[in-house]
Amino acid sequence: MRLSPAFILLGLALLGLTGCPFNAPTRLYVLTATTDKPASTSPEGLAIGVGPITLPKYLDRPQIVTRVAANSLDQANLDQWGGDLNDNITRVVATNLSNLFATDRISFYPWKDGAPLDYQVTMDISRFEQDKDGNAVLNLFWSIVGKDGAVLLMRRSSYSQPAGEPASSQSDNPRPFDAQAAAMSRDLALLSHDIATAITGLKGS
């Protein structure tokens, strides 16, 4: 059955009245380094390489993912990361470590052949999202590799920072995931402090 043009126009008008979000703008978010920036950094400081970092497939997407139950996830189609999440995590951890060690000598994986490295930090993230209680949860395995390629340390860590009320795209808040992004950034700061403490211990051993 062919629909008349008038019927089609009526349908489009009704969609507009119901507030269909076809033209709703996408809101973008980023993670940020939250460690204190030193007064100066040294070009002769410790050389640290950050990466590779792996994410679970369910997080490897632009849309922000939240956990609504133990085995259920929600995807916020209009609230997205302002770039690749893996790249964002790498750069935040790298900046945190640069601040904590006051060093300019930070490399991002994959680095060029011959890049001077004293230590390499690798991460395998198993979970990094807001849970049903409104906490930003980071679970991961991480390792520190020496300049000769030997694994010097392997750790499993978990972090949880409160983000307030569970974020939702249906919220009246015009930026519903700001608190979640801030809490996830604090998770990465705690991780960076633990990595820095481990590296400092290895230096003294």
Side-chain angles (χ1 to χ4, degrees), residues 67 75 103 133 143:
R67 190 175 294 266
Q75 174 179 285
T103 180
D133 298 317
S143 301

Side-chain angles (χ1 to χ4, degrees), residues 13-55:
L14 289 174
L15 284 175
L17 290 174
T18 56
C20 187
F22 289 152
N23 295 319
T26 301
R27 295 174 290 256
L28 301 179
Y29 303 81
V30 294
L31 305 175
T32 55
T34 60
T35 50
D36 293 333
K37 186 176 180 180
S40 62
T41 54
S42 172
E44 304 300 325
L46 202 64
I48 302 172
V50 179
I53 296 174
T54 59
L55 288 172

Side-chain angles (χ1 to χ4, degrees), residues 4 48 86 101 113 128 130 137 142-145 154-155 162 186 188 195:
S4 69
I48 302 172
N86 190 306
F101 285 106
D113 291 340
F128 195 25
Q130 181 180 273
V137 177
W142 55 277
S143 301
I144 297 176
V145 180
M154 299 176 70
R155 291 270 176 86
R186 295 195 297 273
L188 292 178
I195 293 172

Side-chain angles (χ1 to χ4, degrees), residues 21-160:
F22 289 152
N23 295 319
T26 301
R27 295 174 290 256
L28 301 179
Y29 303 81
V30 294
L31 305 175
T32 55
T34 60
T35 50
D36 293 333
K37 186 176 180 180
S40 62
T41 54
S42 172
E44 304 300 325
L46 202 64
I48 302 172
V50 179
I53 296 174
T54 59
L55 288 172
K57 292 298 183 183
Y58 75 86
L59 290 177
D60 190 14
R61 65 188 65 213
Q63 298 86 357
I64 294 180
V65 173
T66 55
R67 190 175 294 266
V68 295
N71 300 304
S72 298
L73 302 171
D74 188 28
Q75 174 179 285
N77 291 322
L78 295 179
D79 295 277
Q80 302 183 9
W81 297 114
D84 179 72
L85 180 58
N86 190 306
D87 177 74
N88 195 180
I89 293 170
T90 301
R91 294 179 183 280
V92 168
V93 172
T95 302
N96 283 337
L97 292 176
S98 175
N99 291 340
L100 292 169
F101 285 106
T103 180
D104 293 336
R105 301 174 70 197
I106 299 290
S107 298
F108 301 86
Y109 183 87
W111 38 79
K112 296 180 180 178
D113 291 340
L117 293 180
D118 295 312
Y119 299 99
Q120 175 185 354
V121 180
T122 68
M123 289 175 251
D124 189 349
I125 294 174
S126 55
R127 179 178 176 184
F128 195 25
E129 74 273 344
Q130 181 180 273
D131 66 12
K132 62 181 179 61
D133 298 317
N135 299 309
V137 177
L138 169 61
N139 295 339
L140 78 160
F141 300 87
W142 55 277
S143 301
I144 297 176
V145 180
K147 63 177 62 179
D148 59 355
V151 177
L152 305 177
L153 177 147
M154 299 176 70
R155 291 270 176 86
R156 178 181 181 180
S157 298
S158 296
Y159 306 91
S160 178

